[in-house]
Amino acid sequence: MSSVIRIAAVILRNPAGEVLSVRKSGTRSFMMPGGKLEPGEDPRGAAVREIAEELHLDLIGERLDHLGRFVAPAANESGYTVDCDVFIWPAPLETMPAVFEEIAEARWFAADSNDEQLAPLSREAVFPRLLHTSEARLT
């Protein structure tokens, strides 16, 4: 059994620029919505499928901007690492989406948040890159 979990996630923002994060039932950590790739599935397809399942949002894969591929300790599986392709949806969400499937809660976090409730992938890898990318676009 591999100790690496291959996943894809999507950064969804509100008009204030905060990032949507979700918490699965029975867990404490908030993470970007997304999930595991199915056999033969590409990361972009997995991201679109997972968002449809978890949030009932129909994203268009071609509109997703690939931020990068990140590796971090898994938040909910001790001893595992997540290997994640992260995409950015270009349009802000005007309202908090409802949650479905195994998702228990959704919350907005500022991209500069160091909140301990955030999964290591978000807090230590993706959010810092997102801040750097956003700052670069402003100059």
Side-chain angles (χ1 to χ4, degrees), residues 8-14 17-22 31-34 47-48 51 55 57 59 63-70 84-93 97 108-111 121-123 125-131 133-134 137:
V10 178
I11 294 171
L12 299 161
R13 292 178 163 180
N14 64 17
E18 296 170 311
V19 179
L20 182 71
S21 297
V22 297
M31 56 195 62
M32 295 166 291
V48 169
I51 297 304
L55 302 173
L57 298 176
L59 304 184
R63 290 192 63 202
L64 291 173
D65 183 26
H66 189 252
L67 179 65
R69 190 167 171 178
F70 302 85
C84 183
D85 276 280
V86 177
F87 299 91
I88 300 173
W89 180 248
L93 299 181
W108 299 109
F109 286 88
L121 179 69
S122 295
R123 187 179 62 246
V126 177
F127 282 23
R129 170 77 69 82
L130 187 59
L131 280 174
T133 301
S134 296
R137 289 181 182 161

Side-chain angles (χ1 to χ4, degrees), residues 21-31 53-55 76 96-107:
S21 297
V22 297
R23 182 182 60 77
K24 292 182 180 182
S25 299
T27 67
R28 292 182 176 179
S29 294
F30 282 84
M31 56 195 62
E53 291 172 2
E54 295 177 355
L55 302 173
N76 299 318
M96 175 72 73
V99 296
F100 300 90
E101 300 294 322
E102 72 274 11
I103 304 302
E105 181 181 3
R107 187 183 297 175

